[in-house]
Amino acid sequence: IVHKNLRAFGPLRGCYTVRYIGWSVAVPNLITMNNYALAGKVSFRDFVTRLFPNLFCTWAYILASWLGEVVHDPVMGWFLVILSFVAYCF
């Protein structure tokens, strides 16, 4: 599914939804693999408790960045783009 990227400078470019779906799957998998060494040292509940906030923040900034590109209101669009950058930094 291709939407118009309404925040692009210059001519309108495509915003590929499948790319963001892929990121929302691949990045949490990388986070899980990065914390895999911790999985054997703590209980499953502690592992999930430590992992879930990272995964939630990742899904939130990916969703915010996608919505920031496809929403029609320019103020809300730029707010979501800036929010996704801030969420990525933390």
Side-chain angles (χ1 to χ4, degrees):
I1 300 172
V2 180
H3 298 281
K4 291 180 183 177
N5 183 349
L6 300 174
R7 304 300 156 258
F9 293 106
L12 289 177
R13 295 182 294 173
C15 175
Y16 300 98
T17 304
V18 174
R19 178 180 296 166
Y20 290 91
I21 293 171
W23 282 348
S24 67
V25 172
V27 175
N29 281 335
L30 291 172
I31 292 171
T32 304
M33 290 187 317
N34 190 31
N35 289 323
Y36 184 72
L38 178 69
K41 298 176 184 175
V42 298
S43 67
F44 179 74
R45 182 177 180 191
D46 290 339
F47 178 69
V48 172
T49 302
R50 178 176 174 166
L51 191 64
F52 186 73
N54 295 329
L55 298 181
F56 180 76
C57 186
T58 301
W59 289 322
Y61 87 76
I62 290 172
L63 179 63
S65 63
W66 177 76
L67 284 174
E69 293 183 4
V70 299
V71 73
H72 289 283
D73 182 22
V75 174
M76 182 57 74
W78 282 111
F79 172 74
L80 288 167
V81 169
I82 292 168
L83 178 69
S84 67
F85 280 115
V86 170
Y88 177 77
C89 291
F90 293 106

